Amino acid sequence: LAKTTQPISMDSYEGQEVNITCSHNNIATNDYITWYQQFPSQGPRFIIQGYKTKVTNEVASLFIPADRKSSTLSLPRVSLSDTAVYYCLVGPSGNTGKLIFGQGTTLQVKP
Amino acid sequence: GAVVSQHPSRVICKSGTSVKIECRSLDFQATTMFWYRQFPKQSLMLMATSNEGSKATYEQGVEKDKFLINHASLTLSTLTVTSAHPEDSSFYICSAGRSVGDTEAFFGQGTRLTVV
């Protein structure tokens, strides 16, 4: 499975848009990019998945350039409750097990 | 949405005793479940794959005799930490996929194990 690299931490303020970038230089042709969110003392929760270009749901947007060697998770107008660790994972679609988690990005949203 | 539930959410046990953690898929059947361990300030590490009706598959470095996994039904997998020691204190999380080809994994709420 392709390795991912993310910033260890990010700070933001309420109401701002937050963009978290993930590098995955060795992504395979059949790999998808998936993001999970984890609050302290809870299991991770699926946020979004994409293969190329842009994907948007009610929570976030995922931007993937043509070379797919990186991706950006965009959280619009964050609130204090968005403070969490965000993980970028790369792997085949439908792989809902044996997930390899990288270090993740700790997002701290300040008032 | 699909729900995976773990029990207990936290447990304290004495060194040398065994602790059982349950992972249930509440509204779907899961032939395969996964167990992860997470130490403070660290990421999740896959421990093993739990297979309904057959032996679990352990990741390299995980002692199968210490972390006993039983997947006796399509909705329940259990992880037993045997002869627990303080270094086994961690956050244990299970997950399952709802169906083949599904895009998201569903995680339990986790179990905080403290061995004293």
Side-chain angles (χ1 to χ4, degrees):
Chain A
L1 295 173
K3 181 180 177 180
T4 60
T5 303
Q6 308 172 229
I8 293 176
S9 63
M10 293 182 67
D11 288 342
S12 182
Y13 290 93
E14 283 189 290
Q16 289 188 333
E17 177 184 78
V18 171
N19 296 309
I20 305 174
T21 299
C22 178
S23 296
H24 28 79
N25 292 318
N26 297 320
I27 189 169
T29 303
N30 63 337
D31 282 346
Y32 283 67
I33 299 132
T34 310
W35 286 79
Y36 283 84
Q37 175 192 55
Q38 185 183 27
F39 296 114
S41 296
Q42 293 187 29
R45 184 179 69 171
F46 173 89
I47 300 176
I48 197 167
Q49 184 184 82
Y51 183 81
K52 62 180 180 181
T53 62
K54 176 184 176 182
V55 179
T56 297
N57 61 23
E58 64 278 6
V59 178
S61 294
L62 179 58
F63 298 92
I64 306 166
D67 66 5
R68 304 198 329 119
K69 293 184 182 299
S70 67
S71 59
T72 299
L73 175 72
S74 182
L75 305 172
R77 296 181 298 281
V78 294
S79 63
L80 296 176
S81 61
D82 292 316
T83 294
V85 179
Y86 293 82
Y87 294 98
C88 164
L89 288 79
V90 173
S93 178
N95 175 31
T96 55
K98 295 201 72 171
L99 299 179
I100 306 301
F101 286 81
Q103 63 184 14
T105 298
T106 299
L107 171 65
Q108 180 70 50
V109 180
K110 302 175 181 179
Chain B
V3 177
V4 173
S5 179
Q6 276 182 248
H7 177 80
S9 58
R10 59 180 66 235
V11 57
I12 301 173
C13 72
K14 292 184 177 180
S15 186
T17 62
S18 296
V19 174
K20 179 185 286 187
I21 302 170
E22 294 185 347
C23 178
R24 294 180 183 275
S25 56
L26 297 184
D27 55 356
F28 65 100
Q29 295 181 331
T31 57
T32 306
M33 292 184 174
F34 303 87
W35 287 95
Y36 296 81
R37 180 169 54 182
Q38 185 175 33
F39 292 108
K41 304 289 186 183
Q42 294 188 24
S43 185
L44 285 78
M45 290 291 293
L46 179 66
M47 297 176 66
T49 301
S50 174
N51 303 300
E52 188 269 334
S54 65
K55 292 182 178 180
T57 306
Y58 292 82
E59 296 300 303
Q60 189 173 9
V62 178
E63 300 176 56
K64 62 179 182 180
D65 294 330
K66 181 169 185 61
F67 299 99
L68 300 179
I69 292 174
N70 184 276
H71 195 152
S73 78
L74 288 171
T75 60
L76 174 64
S77 174
T78 60
L79 169 68
T80 301
V81 183
T82 64
S83 187
H85 291 285
E87 57 265 31
D88 298 323
S89 298
S90 188
F91 193 54
Y92 293 87
I93 310 168
C94 69
S95 77
R98 184 171 45 193
S99 61
V100 175
D102 207 356
T103 56
E104 66 177 284
F106 296 93
F107 289 83
Q109 67 268 46
T111 297
R112 175 77 59 193
L113 171 62
T114 303
V115 184
V116 298

Coordinates of all heavy atoms in Angstrom, one line a residue, chain B residues 30-114:
Chain B
A30 N -20.9 -9.3 9.4 CA -19.5 -9.1 9.0 C -18.7 -10.4 9.1 O -18.4 -10.9 10.2 CB -18.9 -8.0 10.0
T31 N -18.3 -10.9 7.9 CA -17.5 -12.1 7.9 C -16.1 -11.8 8.3 O -15.4 -12.7 8.8 CB -17.6 -12.8 6.6 OG1 -17.1 -11.8 5.6 CG2 -19.0 -13.2 6.2
T32 N -15.7 -10.6 8.2 CA -14.4 -10.2 8.6 C -14.4 -8.9 9.4 O -15.1 -8.0 9.1 CB -13.5 -9.9 7.3 OG1 -13.6 -11.1 6.5 CG2 -12.1 -9.7 7.7
M33 N -13.7 -8.9 10.5 CA -13.5 -7.8 11.3 C -12.0 -7.5 11.6 O -11.2 -8.5 11.4 CB -14.3 -7.9 12.7 CG -15.8 -7.9 12.5 SD -16.6 -8.0 14.2 CE -18.3 -7.9 13.7
F34 N -11.7 -6.4 12.0 CA -10.3 -6.0 12.1 C -10.1 -5.4 13.5 O -10.9 -4.7 14.0 CB -9.9 -5.1 11.0 CG -10.1 -5.6 9.7 CD1 -11.3 -5.4 9.0 CD2 -9.1 -6.3 9.0 CE1 -11.6 -5.9 7.8 CE2 -9.3 -6.8 7.7 CZ -10.5 -6.7 7.1
W35 N -8.9 -5.7 14.1 CA -8.6 -5.2 15.4 C -7.3 -4.3 15.3 O -6.3 -4.7 14.7 CB -8.3 -6.3 16.4 CG -9.6 -7.0 16.8 CD1 -10.1 -8.1 16.3 CD2 -10.5 -6.5 17.9 NE1 -11.3 -8.4 16.9 CE2 -11.5 -7.5 17.9 CE3 -10.5 -5.5 18.8 CZ2 -12.6 -7.4 18.8 CZ3 -11.5 -5.4 19.6 CH2 -12.6 -6.3 19.7
Y36 N -7.4 -3.1 15.9 CA -6.3 -2.2 15.9 C -6.0 -1.8 17.3 O -6.8 -2.0 18.2 CB -6.7 -0.9 15.1 CG -7.0 -1.0 13.7 CD1 -8.3 -1.5 13.2 CD2 -6.1 -0.7 12.7 CE1 -8.6 -1.6 11.9 CE2 -6.4 -0.8 11.3 CZ -7.6 -1.3 11.0 OH -7.9 -1.4 9.6
R37 N -4.8 -1.3 17.5 CA -4.3 -0.8 18.8 C -3.7 0.6 18.6 O -3.1 0.8 17.5 CB -3.2 -1.8 19.3 CG -2.7 -1.4 20.7 CD -1.9 -2.5 21.3 NE -0.8 -3.0 20.4 CZ 0.0 -4.0 20.7 NH1 -0.1 -4.6 21.9 NH2 0.9 -4.4 19.9
Q38 N -4.0 1.4 19.5 CA -3.5 2.8 19.4 C -2.9 3.2 20.7 O -3.7 3.3 21.7 CB -4.6 3.7 18.9 CG -4.2 5.1 18.7 CD -5.3 6.0 18.1 OE1 -6.5 5.8 18.5 NE2 -5.0 7.0 17.2
F39 N -1.7 3.5 20.7 CA -1.0 4.1 21.9 C -1.2 5.6 21.9 O -1.4 6.2 20.8 CB 0.5 3.7 22.0 CG 0.7 2.2 22.2 CD1 1.1 1.4 21.2 CD2 0.4 1.7 23.4 CE1 1.3 0.0 21.4 CE2 0.6 0.3 23.6 CZ 1.0 -0.5 22.6
P40 N -1.1 6.2 23.1 CA -1.3 7.7 23.2 C -0.4 8.5 22.2 O 0.8 8.2 22.0 CB -0.9 8.0 24.6 CG -1.2 6.8 25.4 CD -0.8 5.7 24.4
K41 N -1.0 9.4 21.5 CA -0.4 10.3 20.6 C 0.2 9.6 19.4 O 1.0 10.2 18.6 CB 0.8 11.1 21.3 CG 0.4 11.8 22.5 CD -0.4 13.0 22.2 CE -0.6 13.9 23.4 NZ -1.5 15.0 23.1
Q42 N -0.3 8.4 19.2 CA 0.2 7.6 18.0 C -1.0 7.2 17.1 O -2.1 7.4 17.4 CB 0.9 6.3 18.4 CG 2.3 6.6 19.1 CD 3.1 5.4 19.4 OE1 2.9 4.4 18.7 NE2 3.9 5.4 20.4
S43 N -0.6 6.7 15.9 CA -1.7 6.3 15.0 C -2.2 4.9 15.3 O -1.7 4.2 16.2 CB -1.1 6.3 13.6 OG -2.0 6.1 12.6
L44 N -3.2 4.5 14.5 CA -3.7 3.1 14.7 C -2.8 2.1 14.0 O -2.3 2.4 13.0 CB -5.1 3.0 14.0 CG -6.3 3.6 14.7 CD1 -6.3 5.1 14.5 CD2 -7.6 3.0 14.3
M45 N -2.6 1.0 14.7 CA -1.8 -0.1 14.2 C -2.7 -1.3 14.1 O -3.3 -1.8 15.0 CB -0.6 -0.4 15.1 CG 0.4 0.7 15.1 SD 1.3 0.9 13.5 CE 2.2 -0.6 13.5
L46 N -2.7 -1.9 12.9 CA -3.5 -3.1 12.7 C -2.9 -4.2 13.4 O -1.7 -4.5 13.3 CB -3.6 -3.4 11.2 CG -4.4 -4.7 10.8 CD1 -5.9 -4.5 11.1 CD2 -4.2 -5.0 9.3
M47 N -3.7 -4.9 14.2 CA -3.2 -6.1 14.9 C -3.5 -7.4 14.2 O -2.6 -8.3 14.1 CB -3.8 -6.2 16.3 CG -3.5 -5.0 17.2 SD -4.4 -5.1 18.8 CE -3.6 -6.6 19.5
A48 N -4.8 -7.5 13.8 CA -5.2 -8.8 13.3 C -6.5 -8.7 12.5 O -7.2 -7.7 12.7 CB -5.3 -9.8 14.4
T49 N -6.7 -9.7 11.7 CA -7.9 -9.8 10.9 C -8.7 -11.0 11.5 O -8.2 -12.1 11.6 CB -7.6 -10.1 9.4 OG1 -6.9 -9.0 8.9 CG2 -8.9 -10.2 8.6
S50 N -9.9 -10.7 11.9 CA -10.8 -11.7 12.5 C -11.7 -12.3 11.4 O -12.4 -11.6 10.8 CB -11.6 -11.1 13.6 OG -12.5 -12.0 14.2
N51 N -11.6 -13.6 11.3 CA -12.4 -14.3 10.2 C -13.5 -15.2 10.8 O -13.2 -16.1 11.6 CB -11.5 -15.1 9.3 CG -10.4 -14.3 8.7 OD1 -10.6 -13.4 8.0 ND2 -9.1 -14.6 9.0
E52 N -14.7 -15.0 10.4 CA -15.8 -15.7 11.0 C -15.6 -17.2 10.6 O -15.4 -17.6 9.5 CB -17.1 -15.2 10.4 CG -18.4 -15.9 11.1 CD -18.9 -17.1 10.3 OE1 -18.6 -17.2 9.1 OE2 -19.5 -17.9 11.0
G53 N -15.6 -18.1 11.6 CA -15.5 -19.5 11.4 C -14.2 -20.0 11.2 O -14.0 -21.2 10.9
S54 N -13.2 -19.2 11.2 CA -11.8 -19.7 11.0 C -10.8 -18.9 11.8 O -11.2 -18.0 12.5 CB -11.4 -19.6 9.5 OG -11.4 -18.3 9.1
K55 N -9.6 -19.3 11.8 CA -8.5 -18.6 12.6 C -8.3 -17.2 12.1 O -8.4 -16.9 11.0 CB -7.2 -19.4 12.5 CG -7.3 -20.8 13.2 CD -5.9 -21.5 13.1 CE -6.0 -22.8 13.8 NZ -4.6 -23.5 13.7
A56 N -7.9 -16.4 13.1 CA -7.6 -15.0 12.8 C -6.2 -14.9 12.2 O -5.4 -15.8 12.3 CB -7.6 -14.2 14.1
T57 N -6.0 -13.9 11.4 CA -4.7 -13.6 10.8 C -4.0 -12.5 11.5 O -4.6 -11.4 11.6 CB -4.9 -13.3 9.3 OG1 -5.6 -14.3 8.7 CG2 -3.5 -13.2 8.6
Y58 N -2.8 -12.7 12.0 CA -2.2 -11.7 12.8 C -1.1 -11.0 12.0 O -0.4 -11.6 11.2 CB -1.5 -12.4 14.1 CG -2.6 -12.9 15.1 CD1 -3.2 -14.1 14.9 CD2 -2.9 -12.1 16.2 CE1 -4.1 -14.6 15.8 CE2 -3.9 -12.6 17.1 CZ -4.5 -13.8 16.9 OH -5.4 -14.2 17.7
E59 N -0.9 -9.7 12.3 CA 0.1 -9.0 11.7 C 1.5 -9.3 12.3 O 1.5 -9.8 13.4 CB -0.1 -7.5 11.8 CG -1.4 -7.0 11.1 CD -1.3 -7.2 9.6 OE1 -0.4 -6.8 8.9 OE2 -2.3 -7.9 9.1
Q60 N 2.5 -9.0 11.6 CA 3.8 -9.4 12.0 C 4.1 -8.7 13.3 O 3.9 -7.5 13.5 CB 4.9 -9.0 11.0 CG 6.3 -9.4 11.3 CD 7.2 -9.2 10.1 OE1 6.9 -8.4 9.2 NE2 8.4 -9.7 10.2
G61 N 4.6 -9.4 14.3 CA 5.0 -8.9 15.6 C 3.9 -8.9 16.6 O 4.1 -8.6 17.8
V62 N 2.7 -9.4 16.3 CA 1.6 -9.5 17.2 C 1.5 -10.9 17.7 O 1.4 -11.8 16.9 CB 0.3 -9.0 16.6 CG1 -0.9 -9.2 17.5 CG2 0.3 -7.6 16.1
E63 N 1.6 -11.1 19.0 CA 1.6 -12.5 19.5 C 0.2 -13.1 19.5 O -0.7 -12.6 20.2 CB 2.1 -12.4 21.0 CG 3.5 -11.9 21.1 CD 3.9 -11.8 22.5 OE1 3.9 -12.8 23.2 OE2 4.3 -10.7 23.0
K64 N 0.0 -14.1 18.8 CA -1.4 -14.7 18.7 C -1.8 -15.4 20.0 O -3.0 -15.5 20.2 CB -1.4 -15.7 17.5 CG -0.5 -16.9 17.7 CD -0.6 -17.8 16.5 CE 0.3 -19.1 16.7 NZ 0.2 -20.0 15.5
D65 N -0.9 -15.8 20.8 CA -1.2 -16.5 22.0 C -1.5 -15.5 23.1 O -2.1 -15.9 24.1 CB -0.1 -17.4 22.5 CG 0.1 -18.6 21.5 OD1 -0.9 -19.0 20.9 OD2 1.3 -19.0 21.4
K66 N -1.1 -14.3 22.9 CA -1.4 -13.2 23.9 C -2.7 -12.5 23.5 O -3.5 -12.1 24.4 CB -0.3 -12.2 23.9 CG -0.5 -11.1 25.0 CD 0.7 -10.3 25.2 CE 0.5 -9.3 26.3 NZ 0.1 -10.0 27.6
F67 N -3.0 -12.3 22.3 CA -4.2 -11.6 21.8 C -5.1 -12.7 21.1 O -4.9 -12.8 19.9 CB -3.8 -10.5 20.9 CG -3.0 -9.4 21.6 CD1 -1.6 -9.4 21.4 CD2 -3.5 -8.5 22.4 CE1 -0.8 -8.4 22.0 CE2 -2.8 -7.5 23.0 CZ -1.4 -7.5 22.9
L68 N -5.9 -13.3 21.9 CA -6.8 -14.3 21.3 C -8.0 -13.7 20.7 O -8.7 -12.9 21.3 CB -7.2 -15.3 22.4 CG -6.1 -16.0 23.2 CD1 -6.7 -16.9 24.2 CD2 -5.2 -16.8 22.2
I69 N -8.3 -14.1 19.5 CA -9.4 -13.6 18.7 C -10.3 -14.7 18.4 O -9.9 -15.7 17.9 CB -8.9 -12.8 17.4 CG1 -8.2 -11.6 17.8 CG2 -10.1 -12.5 16.5 CD1 -7.5 -10.9 16.6
N70 N -11.6 -14.5 18.6 CA -12.7 -15.4 18.3 C -13.8 -14.7 17.6 O -14.2 -13.7 18.0 CB -13.2 -16.1 19.6 CG -14.2 -17.1 19.3 OD1 -15.4 -16.8 19.1 ND2 -13.8 -18.4 19.3
H71 N -14.2 -15.3 16.4 CA -15.2 -14.7 15.6 C -16.2 -15.8 15.3 O -16.3 -16.4 14.3 CB -14.5 -14.2 14.3 CG -15.4 -13.3 13.5 ND1 -14.8 -12.4 12.7 CD2 -16.7 -13.1 13.4 CE1 -15.8 -11.7 12.1 NE2 -16.9 -12.1 12.5
A72 N -17.0 -16.0 16.4 CA -17.9 -17.2 16.4 C -19.2 -17.0 15.6 O -19.9 -17.9 15.3 CB -18.2 -17.6 17.8
S73 N -19.6 -15.7 15.3 CA -20.8 -15.5 14.6 C -20.6 -14.3 13.6 O -19.5 -13.7 13.6 CB -21.9 -15.1 15.6 OG -21.8 -13.7 16.0
L74 N -21.5 -14.1 12.8 CA -21.4 -13.0 11.8 C -21.5 -11.6 12.3 O -21.3 -10.7 11.6 CB -22.4 -13.3 10.6 CG -22.1 -14.5 9.7 CD1 -23.3 -14.7 8.8 CD2 -20.9 -14.2 8.9
T75 N -21.8 -11.5 13.6 CA -21.9 -10.2 14.2 C -21.1 -10.0 15.4 O -21.2 -8.9 16.0 CB -23.4 -9.9 14.6 OG1 -23.8 -10.9 15.5 CG2 -24.3 -10.0 13.3
L76 N -20.2 -10.9 15.7 CA -19.5 -10.8 17.0 C -18.1 -11.3 16.8 O -17.8 -12.4 16.4 CB -20.2 -11.5 18.1 CG -19.4 -11.5 19.5 CD1 -19.2 -10.1 20.0 CD2 -20.1 -12.4 20.5
S77 N -17.1 -10.4 17.2 CA -15.7 -10.8 17.3 C -15.2 -10.4 18.7 O -15.6 -9.3 19.2 CB -14.9 -10.2 16.2 OG -13.5 -10.4 16.4
T78 N -14.4 -11.3 19.3 CA -13.9 -10.9 20.6 C -12.4 -10.9 20.6 O -11.8 -11.8 19.9 CB -14.4 -11.8 21.7 OG1 -14.0 -13.2 21.4 CG2 -15.9 -11.8 21.8
L79 N -11.8 -10.0 21.3 CA -10.3 -10.0 21.5 C -10.1 -10.2 23.0 O -10.6 -9.4 23.8 CB -9.8 -8.6 21.0 CG -8.4 -8.3 21.4 CD1 -7.4 -9.2 20.6 CD2 -8.0 -6.8 21.1
T80 N -9.3 -11.2 23.3 CA -9.0 -11.4 24.7 C -7.5 -11.2 24.9 O -6.6 -11.8 24.2 CB -9.3 -12.9 25.1 OG1 -10.7 -13.1 25.0 CG2 -8.9 -13.1 26.6
V81 N -7.2 -10.2 25.8 CA -5.8 -9.9 26.1 C -5.4 -10.8 27.3 O -6.0 -10.7 28.4 CB -5.6 -8.5 26.5 CG1 -4.1 -8.2 26.8 CG2 -6.1 -7.6 25.3
T82 N -4.6 -11.8 27.1 CA -4.3 -12.8 28.1 C -3.0 -12.3 28.9 O -2.1 -11.7 28.4 CB -4.0 -14.2 27.5 OG1 -2.9 -14.1 26.7 CG2 -5.2 -14.6 26.7
S83 N -3.0 -12.7 30.2 CA -1.9 -12.3 31.1 C -1.5 -10.9 30.8 O -0.3 -10.7 30.4 CB -0.8 -13.3 30.9 OG 0.3 -13.1 31.8
A84 N -2.4 -10.0 31.0 CA -2.1 -8.6 30.6 C -1.0 -8.0 31.5 O -0.9 -8.3 32.7 CB -3.4 -7.8 30.8
H85 N -0.2 -7.1 30.9 CA 0.8 -6.4 31.6 C 0.7 -4.9 31.3 O 0.0 -4.5 30.4 CB 2.2 -6.9 31.2 CG 2.5 -8.3 31.6 ND1 2.8 -8.6 32.9 CD2 2.5 -9.5 30.9 CE1 3.0 -9.9 33.0 NE2 2.8 -10.5 31.8
P86 N 1.2 -4.1 32.2 CA 1.1 -2.6 32.0 C 1.4 -2.2 30.5 O 0.7 -1.2 30.0 CB 2.1 -2.1 33.0 CG 2.1 -3.1 34.1 CD 2.0 -4.4 33.4
E87 N 2.3 -2.8 29.9 CA 2.7 -2.4 28.5 C 1.6 -2.7 27.5 O 1.6 -2.2 26.3 CB 4.0 -3.0 28.0 CG 4.0 -4.5 28.1 CD 4.6 -5.0 29.4 OE1 4.5 -4.3 30.4 OE2 5.2 -6.1 29.4
D88 N 0.6 -3.5 27.9 CA -0.6 -3.8 27.1 C -1.6 -2.7 27.2 O -2.6 -2.7 26.4 CB -1.2 -5.1 27.4 CG -0.3 -6.3 27.2 OD1 0.5 -6.2 26.2 OD2 -0.3 -7.2 28.0
S89 N -1.5 -1.8 28.1 CA -2.4 -0.7 28.2 C -2.4 0.1 27.0 O -1.4 0.6 26.5 CB -2.0 0.2 29.4 OG -2.0 -0.5 30.6
S90 N -3.6 0.3 26.4 CA -3.7 0.9 25.1 C -5.2 1.1 24.8 O -6.1 0.8 25.6 CB -3.1 0.1 24.0 OG -3.0 0.7 22.8
F91 N -5.4 1.7 23.6 CA -6.8 1.9 23.1 C -7.0 0.9 22.0 O -6.2 0.9 21.0 CB -6.9 3.3 22.6 CG -8.3 3.8 22.3 CD1 -9.3 3.7 23.2 CD2 -8.6 4.3 21.1 CE1 -10.6 4.1 23.0 CE2 -9.9 4.8 20.8 CZ -10.9 4.7 21.7
Y92 N -7.9 0.0 22.2 CA -8.2 -1.1 21.2 C -9.4 -0.8 20.4 O -10.5 -0.4 21.0 CB -8.3 -2.4 21.9 CG -7.0 -2.9 22.5 CD1 -6.6 -2.5 23.8 CD2 -6.1 -3.7 21.8 CE1 -5.4 -2.9 24.4 CE2 -4.9 -4.1 22.4 CZ -4.6 -3.7 23.6 OH -3.4 -4.0 24.2
I93 N -9.3 -0.8 19.1 CA -10.4 -0.5 18.2 C -10.7 -1.6 17.2 O -9.8 -2.1 16.6 CB -10.1 0.8 17.5 CG1 -9.6 1.9 18.4 CG2 -11.4 1.4 16.7 CD1 -9.0 3.1 17.7
C94 N -12.0 -1.9 17.0 CA -12.3 -2.8 16.0 C -13.0 -2.1 14.8 O -13.5 -1.0 14.9 CB -13.2 -3.9 16.5 SG -14.9 -3.4 16.9
S95 N -13.0 -2.8 13.7 CA -13.7 -2.2 12.5 C -14.2 -3.3 11.6 O -13.8 -4.5 11.7 CB -12.8 -1.4 11.7 OG -11.9 -2.1 10.9
A96 N -15.2 -3.0 10.8 CA -15.7 -3.9 9.8 C -16.3 -3.2 8.6 O -16.6 -2.0 8.7 CB -16.9 -4.7 10.5
G97 N -16.3 -3.9 7.5 CA -16.9 -3.3 6.3 C -18.3 -3.9 6.2 O -18.5 -5.1 6.5
R98 N -19.2 -3.1 5.7 CA -20.6 -3.5 5.6 C -20.8 -4.6 4.5 O -21.5 -5.5 4.7 CB -21.5 -2.3 5.4 CG -23.0 -2.6 5.4 CD -23.8 -1.3 5.4 NE -23.3 -0.4 4.5 CZ -23.6 0.9 4.5 NH1 -24.4 1.4 5.4 NH2 -23.1 1.7 3.6
S99 N -20.2 -4.3 3.4 CA -20.4 -5.3 2.3 C -19.2 -5.2 1.3 O -18.4 -4.2 1.3 CB -21.7 -4.9 1.5 OG -21.6 -3.6 1.0
V100 N -19.0 -6.2 0.5 CA -18.0 -6.2 -0.5 C -18.1 -5.0 -1.4 O -19.2 -4.7 -1.9 CB -18.0 -7.5 -1.3 CG1 -16.9 -7.5 -2.3 CG2 -17.8 -8.7 -0.3
G101 N -17.0 -4.3 -1.6 CA -17.0 -3.1 -2.4 C -17.4 -1.8 -1.7 O -17.4 -0.8 -2.4
D102 N -17.8 -1.9 -0.5 CA -18.2 -0.7 0.3 C -17.0 0.2 0.4 O -15.8 -0.3 0.5 CB -18.7 -1.1 1.6 CG -19.7 0.0 2.2 OD1 -19.9 1.0 1.5 OD2 -20.3 -0.2 3.2
T103 N -17.2 1.5 0.4 CA -16.0 2.4 0.4 C -15.5 2.8 1.8 O -14.4 3.2 2.0 CB -16.4 3.7 -0.3 OG1 -17.5 4.3 0.3 CG2 -16.6 3.5 -1.8
E104 N -16.4 2.6 2.8 CA -15.9 3.0 4.1 C -15.9 1.9 5.1 O -16.8 1.0 5.1 CB -16.8 4.2 4.6 CG -18.3 3.8 4.9 CD -19.0 5.0 5.5 OE1 -18.9 5.3 6.7 OE2 -19.8 5.6 4.7
A105 N -15.0 2.0 6.0 CA -14.9 1.1 7.2 C -15.6 1.7 8.3 O -15.6 2.9 8.5 CB -13.5 0.8 7.5
F106 N -16.3 0.8 9.1 CA -17.0 1.3 10.3 C -16.3 0.9 11.5 O -16.0 -0.3 11.7 CB -18.5 0.8 10.3 CG -19.3 1.3 9.1 CD1 -19.3 0.6 7.9 CD2 -19.9 2.5 9.2 CE1 -20.1 1.1 6.8 CE2 -20.6 3.0 8.1 CZ -20.7 2.3 6.9
F107 N -16.0 1.8 12.4 CA -15.2 1.6 13.6 C -16.0 1.6 14.8 O -17.0 2.4 14.9 CB -14.1 2.6 13.7 CG -13.0 2.5 12.7 CD1 -13.1 3.0 11.4 CD2 -11.8 1.8 13.0 CE1 -12.1 2.9 10.5 CE2 -10.8 1.7 12.0 CZ -11.0 2.2 10.8
G108 N -15.6 0.7 15.8 CA -16.2 0.8 17.1 C -15.7 2.0 17.8 O -14.8 2.7 17.3
Q109 N -16.3 2.3 19.0 CA -15.9 3.5 19.7 C -14.6 3.3 20.5 O -14.1 4.2 21.1 CB -17.1 3.8 20.7 CG -17.3 2.8 21.8 CD -18.3 1.8 21.4 OE1 -18.3 1.2 20.4 NE2 -19.3 1.6 22.4
G110 N -14.1 2.0 20.4 CA -12.8 1.8 21.1 C -13.0 1.4 22.5 O -14.0 1.6 23.2
T111 N -12.0 0.7 23.0 CA -11.9 0.2 24.4 C -10.6 0.7 25.0 O -9.5 0.3 24.5 CB -12.0 -1.3 24.5 OG1 -13.3 -1.7 24.0 CG2 -11.8 -1.8 26.0
R112 N -10.7 1.4 26.1 CA -9.4 1.9 26.8 C -9.1 0.9 27.8 O -9.8 0.7 28.8 CB -9.7 3.3 27.4 CG -8.5 3.8 28.3 CD -7.4 4.3 27.4 NE -7.9 5.4 26.6 CZ -7.2 5.9 25.5 NH1 -6.0 5.4 25.3 NH2 -7.7 6.9 24.8
L113 N -8.0 0.2 27.6 CA -7.5 -0.8 28.6 C -6.4 -0.3 29.4 O -5.4 0.2 28.9 CB -7.0 -2.1 27.9 CG -6.3 -3.1 28.7 CD1 -7.2 -3.7 29.8 CD2 -5.8 -4.3 27.9
T114 N -6.5 -0.3 30.7 CA -5.5 0.1 31.6 C -5.1 -1.1 32.5 O -6.0 -1.7 33.2 CB -5.9 1.2 32.5 OG1 -6.3 2.3 31.7 CG2 -4.8 1.7 33.4

